[in-house]
Amino acid sequence: MQHDAIILGAGGAGLFCALTAGQMGARVLVIDHDQEPGRKILISGGGRCNFTNVGALPDRYLSENKHFARSALSRYTPADFVDLVRRYNIAFHEKTLGQLFCDGSAKQIVAMLMDECAAGRVDFAFGAAISDVSHADGRFTVTTSAGIYSAPNLVIATGGPAIPKLGATGFAYQLGKQFGLKIIPPRPALVPFTLPQTENLFRELAGVAAEVVAKAGKSAFREAALFTHKGLSGPAMLQVSSYWRHGEAIAVDFLPDAPTDWLISAKRQRPKAGLKSVLGSALPERLATALADTLGLGGDMASQKDAALTATMQRLKGWAFRPDGTEGFAKAEVTAGGIDTAGLSSRSMAANHIEGLFAIGEAVDVTGWLGGYNFQWAWASGHAAGTAIAERVHK
């Protein structure tokens, strides 16, 4: 069969591109080396798929070109995807910070996308390992273990190397380079930090969580932080990991609701209490003990000078951790960096210098916050490319 477009990758972005182009009349083939579609969708949100975020605005995305995502996100919004979910009677709920999850299973989202692909008569080649991709005479040829396919449009939707146990690779970057696209160095994002041996005290807090404000550079997030055997995790840490660079410190405010004179007030109100007891009124006991032991203020509050309490409070509201790294792509939820958006059209996701070549989703240098933002980018960028492909076909 002759196809108008070949999409490499059956993840969220690839499927959405396929169903969009297919339903607009394009003949589409999706190729994936896996035996089933949407594997990242299936494991996301603890198996319930955090499929979008009601606050998915462009300023919640990282990119070397911070305005690139604006066009696609404005033309396919969270409300648009929610309308699709409702048409399929998939029950969902909103958790904190605008995150939308299925009440049931992430399998419902994959099934919905595949039904929409069926409505667009999309063809699939699953379990097809790609050995070569070439371009000549206005057509792209993809050689796979299942056969050789050709089309005038090719979409790179193979994601990034995050979560390699699901088959994730850097194949998109190889293709990008092959076709003359620059690559922003990829790095793990939304990933736990590791701490050096000098932070042994905090390794002993594995399993303890607290609501904090975590800061990396100019970015700050108020969410839960979790101490692990290796370092720091939890939503607050995953969020700032996308902005962190190796060698930099992370600042943690352990008392985000407390005013700067909180310890001085505690001295007046509870003069006979120790620092450990005072901190224990606002923090988990194990964390309060560890912080008090590290700060080393012995004796009761009445014996502490106000200047010492002010300095202690400053440290508690800006505790510096200097990670020695992260847990890498194996534990990263997404990849930051990727195909440079400078070589792509923000309206269509098409390469500027090769007609018919597109790159979407996690393969490109657009990375969203934790909480459904990256799925919304998958839907929006897939919709943009799918629409552009259909427009080319019908010219």
Side-chain angles (χ1 to χ4, degrees):
M1 180 183 289
Q2 291 293 312
H3 292 99
D4 296 312
I6 295 172
I7 298 172
L8 306 182
L15 292 176
F16 214 85
C17 181
L19 69 88
T20 301
Q23 290 182 21
M24 293 178 72
R27 295 164 297 176
V28 180
L29 170 68
V30 178
I31 300 174
D32 200 291
H33 64 124
D34 211 322
Q35 295 290 345
E36 60 180 13
R39 289 193 69 188
K40 269 196 176 181
I41 298 173
L42 293 172
I43 69 161
S44 70
R48 290 190 173 182
C49 188
N50 179 189
F51 55 79
T52 192
N53 194 295
V54 296
L57 300 172
D59 63 356
R60 277 94 189 274
Y61 292 83
L62 293 75
S63 175
E64 291 290 305
N65 176 2
K66 64 181 181 179
H67 299 298
F68 181 82
R70 185 180 303 276
S71 176
L73 290 169
S74 68
R75 286 179 294 118
Y76 193 86
T77 68
D80 293 323
F81 194 80
V82 168
D83 285 344
L84 178 60
V85 169
R86 285 192 169 124
R87 289 211 305 273
Y88 278 79
N89 296 314
I90 298 172
F92 65 91
H93 58 280
E94 181 176 338
K95 291 182 75 173
T96 57
L97 304 173
Q99 303 168 21
L100 300 186
F101 287 79
C102 296
D103 287 357
S105 169
K107 292 178 181 178
Q108 295 171 285
I109 298 296
V110 174
M112 176 189 77
L113 296 174
M114 291 301 286
D115 283 352
E116 288 289 298
C117 283
R121 299 186 177 184
V122 175
D123 295 320
F124 290 92
F126 289 121
I130 297 171
S131 57
D132 185 67
V133 179
S134 61
H135 178 247
D137 300 323
R139 296 187 70 82
F140 295 89
T141 300
V142 182
T143 304
T144 78
S145 57
I148 299 174
Y149 306 96
S150 177
N153 297 287
L154 179 75
V155 183
I156 302 172
T158 54
I163 320 182
K165 68 181 180 181
L166 295 183
T169 70
F171 182 59
Y173 313 144
Q174 297 175 33
L175 283 181
K177 289 178 182 176
Q178 176 184 331
F179 291 118
L181 294 168
K182 282 180 58 181
I183 307 298
I184 304 297
R187 65 184 192 281
L190 303 182
V191 63
F193 292 107
T194 58
L195 291 175
Q197 292 298 323
T198 52
E199 300 281 8
N200 269 339
L201 174 68
F202 292 97
R203 291 171 185 268
E204 296 168 9
L205 293 174
V208 174
E211 185 172 338
V212 305
V213 172
K215 299 178 183 178
K218 296 180 180 178
S219 300
F221 294 88
R222 179 170 177 162
E223 291 194 62
L226 172 69
F227 291 94
T228 72
H229 289 292
K230 293 182 179 180
L232 297 166
S233 188
M237 295 301 163
L238 299 186
Q239 292 281 37
V240 296
S241 72
S242 297
Y243 295 87
W244 178 78
R245 294 294 187 273
H246 196 84
E248 293 178 350
I250 298 163
V252 176
D253 182 350
F254 283 112
L255 299 166
D257 290 324
T260 54
D261 63 351
W262 184 68
L263 288 180
I264 293 175
S265 297
K267 173 182 173 179
R268 310 283 188 260
Q269 296 163 8
R270 302 176 59 190
K272 294 183 179 180
L275 179 63
K276 187 182 301 183
S277 176
V278 171
L279 292 180
S281 68
L283 295 168
E285 184 179 356
R286 285 171 61 197
L287 177 57
T289 298
L291 291 172
D293 288 347
T294 303
L295 291 163
L297 286 185
D300 57 26
M301 297 298 287
S303 65
Q304 309 300 331
K305 293 182 179 180
D306 285 0
L309 293 176
T310 298
T312 296
M313 195 63 186
Q314 287 176 344
R315 188 169 180 195
L316 287 167
K317 292 187 74 65
W319 198 285
F321 289 95
R322 199 170 290 276
D324 57 5
T326 71
E327 293 193 40
F329 286 116
K331 297 293 184 181
E333 296 205 9
V334 294
T335 305
I339 293 173
D340 190 350
T341 59
L344 304 175
S345 160
S346 62
R347 189 194 72 82
S348 65
M349 309 301 296
N352 295 330
H353 68 295
I354 297 183
E355 202 167 328
L357 179 66
F358 300 78
I360 59 176
E362 193 181 341
V364 307
D365 175 36
V366 175
T367 306
W369 288 2
L370 182 73
Y373 294 92
N374 289 292
F375 275 130
Q376 186 58 37
W377 173 244
W379 319 139
S381 61
H383 180 267
T387 301
I389 288 167
E391 288 172 351
R392 287 197 78 213
V393 169
H394 296 310
K395 268 186 179 178

